[in-house]
Structure formats: structure tokens, C-alpha cells
Amino acid sequence: MAEIRRPDDMVRITTPELADAFIEEQVNIAREQIGDKKVLLALSGGVDSSVVAALLIKAVGKQLVCVHVNHGLLRKGEPEQVIEVFGKQLDANLIYVDAVDRFLDKLEGVDDPEEKRHIIGEEFIDVFADEARKLEGVDFLAQGTIWPDILESEDGIKAHHNAGGLPEDIAERFELVEPVRILFKDEVRVVGKQLGLPDNMVYRQPFPGPGLGVRCPGAITRDRLEAVRESDAILREEFEKAGLAGKVWQYFTVVPDFKSTGITDGKRTFDWPCIIRAINTTDVMQVSVEHLEPELIDRLAMRITTEVEGINRVLYDFTPKPPATVEYE
Ligand code: XMP
């Protein structure tokens, strides 16, 4: 595929009209490139892969094969939303892979953070490659690469894998299709909005590849992971209600692997704490803490301790980056 460069004088895509022009151009390019062949996409439900999916559905319809891998570390409601938006509303060719047991079994007892990340990454590639091997006549692989990914890989900050780090027998079968390669993140969001994707998909906060796995520090257990997922859902709901959802850069919960004594209905409990983290940043290198209203903190403490199984204490993380990182692992 010809190298695509972002022209130095390219107009920043900030309006629906500019997004429409971009979509029309990329639809034509994709049709020309793909012809009557099939194209495969790993659809996580994040902003970039969702926008690529919507764009390619517009361009080549059912010739796009989306694979959504549920690794068990997604937020509450995410796999369901992918199925609803892409499988139903956009009538895409969607393969849903329930790999929850496969991932959680592999992660059982693994408490080293780097090993956890490694297993999640490797396993993801394995699951996706298995699906790719099952498909016949797919010549293209679509990716949600965006312009900062290219810049970072040129700077040597982050390895930008061609074909997503897939094993060679799979990678060499495909030609890459990267329709949002020349866009910055804010432009991808304008294009996604114009393609009709729901706001909570287009404007969603950053979410790490290893998902809730890095918010369940130490060896992941299904019950503690569920406590992370449920508390995260409550936090997101309360931030939405308080009008903070689009304003705070990132907010989530962490359930560490230790217990403390509490009391409920006159009886002793021995449960995990739930840590709330809410931060703001422009460059992710330096991060400041969002100071929440006391009423919101009170409501979160009350809801999380009463609604989430296994939690008897709510803590707030007041640490900027540096010295702390955003995620716990
Ligand atoms: P840290 O913890 O390094 O996080 O201060 C900075 C930002 O990066 C996100 N993050 C990731 N994003 N894959 C990603 O795509 C990852 O493995 C990953 N780890 C951290 C984190 O959520 C924060 O926004």
C-alpha cells in the first residue's frame, strides 16, 4: 500500500462538512483498494476501530468482517453495545468471540503486572489469528491506526506493529487498510459522529488495551474483577449524571487485593476497598487530580459499598503523575 502522509497544510477536520468530505474521499479510496475482496477488522468498540468499522461498512458493506473479542476485561455493557450498534443497527458482518474463559484461565494466579500485560496481548493476537485462519478469501486487514501512532513509532516511543503484531503466516496474507491514518483523535471523533455512531462510543474516555485487568492488581480473580466492573459502571453513571463525563479526561475504579474490616447491619465484614481515580491531562505525561464535590464522593461511597458485592470501603486517590502513573499496573 502506498505510504499515506498527512499533508503539512491539511485542514483540521473540525466540522460536519469537512468530516463528510473526508468520509466520501476515504469511502472511494477503500472501494478502489478492496474491490470485491473481503477485509478483516479487530473491532474492540474503542473510538478508532469503531470509526474504521463504520467507514468501511459504508464503503464495502458485508465485505467487511468484524471480529469482536470479548476477553472478559471489558467494561460493563461494552460487548453488548458492539453487538447492538454493529451487529444490529449497522447490520455488519460481525463475529463475536467469547474468549472470557480462555483469558481468565491463562491469567489465573499470575500476579506480575508485566506478565499479565504480556499474556493479555499475546492471547489477543492468538484468538484473532485463530479467527483469521478460519476465514477464506480475506485479502485485507483494516486497522484503526491514527496519526499520533505513526508519529510515536517514528520517534521510537512506541513500536507500531504492522498488522497488529500478528504471526507472519497471517500477516503476510494481508494488505493493510488504514482509513483514519492521517487523523488526530479529535478528528476521528468528528468523523465518527458524522457516521452516526452513538456519543458514548465517539466521546469515550481512553481505555487501556489490557482493560480492567490492570485495575484488578495482582492475580485476577473473577469475583474481584466483577467488583471492578460493577464499581466502574456506577462511577460512570454518577459522572454522567453530574455532567462530568465529557469534562474529566479519565475516571475509573481499582479494587486492590487486600481486605479490611467493616460493619454492615451490626455484623463484621472483611472485604476489599474500592479506589476511585479521576484525572485530567493534556499530554498524559503530567496528570492532575480532579477534585470531586463532597456530595458526589458521599454518593459514590454509599452506592459502591451497598451495590457492589465484596466492597466495604471507598478510597479516593489524590496522587498526580508523577510520581504515580494513571493506571495501577
Ligand atoms: P499510565 O498508567 O502509563 O497511563 O500513566 C497513561 C495513559 O495510557 C493509558 N494506558 C494504555 N493505553 N494500552 C493503551 O492503549 C495500554 O496498555 C495502556 N496502559 C495505559 C492509560 O489508561 C492512560 O490514559
Side-chain angles (χ1 to χ4, degrees):
M1 186 178 126
E3 181 78 353
I4 298 174
R5 306 295 307 173
R6 185 178 170 101
D8 290 339
D9 58 353
M10 180 174 151
V11 178
R12 204 67 184 230
I13 296 172
T14 50
T15 64
E17 293 74 26
L18 289 167
D20 280 340
F22 176 84
I23 292 165
E24 194 186 327
E25 181 189 69
Q26 291 303 321
V27 162
N28 288 335
I29 291 174
R31 280 186 185 147
E32 182 128 330
Q33 190 187 0
I34 297 162
D36 59 1
K37 304 279 171 42
K38 284 190 188 151
V39 52
L40 182 63
L41 170 74
L43 174 60
S44 68
V47 184
D48 304 333
S49 66
S50 297
V51 171
V52 168
L55 224 159
L56 292 180
I57 289 166
K58 202 173 167 70
V60 296
K62 299 257 183 190
Q63 288 164 252
L64 174 71
V65 182
C66 301
V67 175
H68 178 64
V69 177
N70 181 0
H71 53 25
L73 305 168
L74 299 169
R75 287 172 290 194
K76 189 172 178 172
E78 282 185 334
E80 293 82 358
Q81 188 181 34
V82 167
I83 292 169
E84 173 62 30
V85 171
F86 292 98
K88 297 192 180 146
Q89 293 171 18
L90 296 176
D91 195 25
N93 201 346
L94 174 69
I95 298 173
Y96 170 77
V97 185
D98 180 348
V100 176
D101 288 338
R102 183 166 165 172
F103 275 82
L104 296 186
D105 288 351
K106 268 264 158 79
L107 286 164
E108 200 177 324
V110 180
D111 60 4
D112 180 73
E114 293 308 307
E115 201 184 334
K116 279 169 70 179
R117 279 178 171 269
H118 184 74
I119 290 172
I120 297 166
E122 290 279 295
E123 201 57 22
F124 186 87
I125 288 167
D126 277 1
V127 171
F128 186 68
D130 283 352
E131 291 305 316
R133 285 192 191 97
K134 285 185 212 160
L135 297 165
E136 302 266 314
V138 181
D139 291 353
F140 296 91
L141 180 76
Q143 295 197 139
T145 312
I146 64 171
W147 191 239
D149 299 332
I150 310 268
L151 295 181
E152 280 180 6
S153 70
E154 280 175 358
D155 286 350
I157 295 170
K158 191 163 91 178
H160 173 66
H161 297 290
N162 272 341
L166 285 170
E168 251 170 41
D169 72 300
I170 296 291
E172 68 192 12
R173 275 171 43 189
F174 297 125
E175 193 179 312
L176 289 182
V177 176
E178 297 180 309
V180 297
R181 201 173 196 257
I182 56 170
L183 299 187
F184 286 100
K185 193 83 171 188
D186 53 327
E187 298 177 298
V188 179
R189 293 191 205 278
V190 180
V191 169
K193 177 92 184 140
Q194 207 52 20
L195 284 163
L197 292 176
D199 280 3
N200 66 351
M201 202 167 235
V202 170
Y203 299 110
R204 72 175 34 170
Q205 49 171 326
F207 187 59
L212 300 181
V214 292
R215 298 171 184 175
C216 192
I220 298 171
T221 57
R222 288 173 193 247
D223 50 359
R224 198 154 54 86
L225 181 61
E226 219 35 50
V228 179
R229 190 171 356 251
E230 288 300 322
S231 55
D232 172 77
I234 292 173
L235 183 74
R236 286 191 286 140
E237 193 185 314
E238 289 296 333
F239 265 51
E240 193 75 51
K241 276 197 235 158
L244 293 172
K247 295 193 185 132
V248 178
W249 172 266
Q250 208 172 0
Y251 43 96
F252 55 86
T253 61
V254 175
V255 179
D257 189 13
F258 71 87
K259 291 187 172 181
S260 70
T261 304
I263 182 161
T264 300
D265 299 332
K267 290 202 186 79
R268 178 185 186 272
T269 59
F270 191 56
D271 283 326
W272 302 298
C274 171
I275 303 169
I276 294 173
R277 187 129 174 86
I279 53 102
N280 288 303
T281 185
T282 47
D283 61 5
V284 198
M285 304 301 286
Q286 304 241 340
V287 164
S288 63
V289 173
E290 171 79 14
H291 290 253
L292 300 180
E293 295 293 329
E295 295 75 21
L296 178 56
I297 295 184
D298 287 347
R299 197 162 47 256
L300 286 167
M302 199 269 290
R303 282 198 63 190
I304 292 172
T305 51
T306 50
E307 294 175 38
V308 183
E309 180 83 27
I311 302 288
N312 66 355
R313 201 178 280 275
V314 172
L315 313 175
Y316 194 60
D317 184 344
F318 279 108
T319 329
K321 174 181 177 178
T325 52
V326 174
E327 304 288 350
Y328 274 53
E329 288 189 329

